[in-house]
Amino acid sequence: MMIGKLLSGVVLAGTVHASAAAHADPRVFFVEPKDGATVTNPVHVVFGVEGMGIAPAGDTDPTKGHHHLLIDQGPMQKGLVIPMNDKSLHYGKGQTEADITLPPGDHTLTMQFGNGAHQSYGPEMSQTIKIHVK
């Protein structure tokens, strides 16, 4: 009987924790590099996301998406298609880290989360940092 109550409490605690996590505002963030970091090439970038899942391009689940790295640009308006070029890198296979090469100097990196059609989830699903490349 005591084991049953203990297990019941564990299940209930897990349910409360999962429920609280489901109601947290989703966000993306840089694990690496840190804002203000001085780095060398190749620059190792690690993407973080909470409150949403990672899925490859083409996945239409509105609770999932994939990362885009905007170089020397700010966040994009919600719903706009994120362009694909040398300043807007797509990680449509669901990658969560990458090595990039940047010219020496100061740069702004914006991680923009987008849906399966490469549409921006908006500024609220982005983070911008500044780095210096030696």
Side-chain angles (χ1 to χ4, degrees):
M1 183 72 165
M2 184 64 157
I3 292 176
K5 286 183 180 181
L6 182 60
L7 288 176
S8 176
V10 169
V11 170
L12 180 59
T15 303
V16 170
H17 176 67
S19 177
H23 293 294
D25 288 335
R27 71 182 188 104
V28 294
F29 54 94
F30 285 94
V31 176
E32 288 181 39
K34 298 295 183 194
D35 189 27
T38 296
V39 297
T40 58
N41 282 312
V43 179
H44 188 66
V45 181
V46 179
F47 309 115
V49 64
E50 293 177 348
M52 290 189 82
I54 300 286
D59 188 308
T60 59
D61 184 333
T63 66
K64 296 179 181 175
H66 61 275
H67 297 286
H68 301 80
L69 185 62
L70 309 178
I71 300 168
D72 297 323
Q73 303 175 64
M76 293 185 62
Q77 182 179 357
K78 186 174 184 172
L80 291 180
V81 174
I82 301 164
M84 185 180 289
N85 56 47
D86 62 343
K87 296 275 187 182
S88 181
L89 309 177
H90 289 235
Y91 297 97
K93 293 180 183 176
Q95 303 96 309
T96 57
E97 58 186 276
D99 289 321
I100 62 171
T101 300
L102 296 170
D106 294 329
H107 295 280
T108 300
L109 301 179
T110 298
M111 182 190 328
Q112 180 67 65
F113 208 61
N115 67 18
H118 304 286
Q119 294 171 309
S120 168
Y121 277 118
E124 52 276 354
M125 283 301 288
S126 72
Q127 184 186 35
T128 301
I129 63 170
K130 293 183 180 197
I131 62 169
H132 178 78
V133 179
K134 282 184 172 182

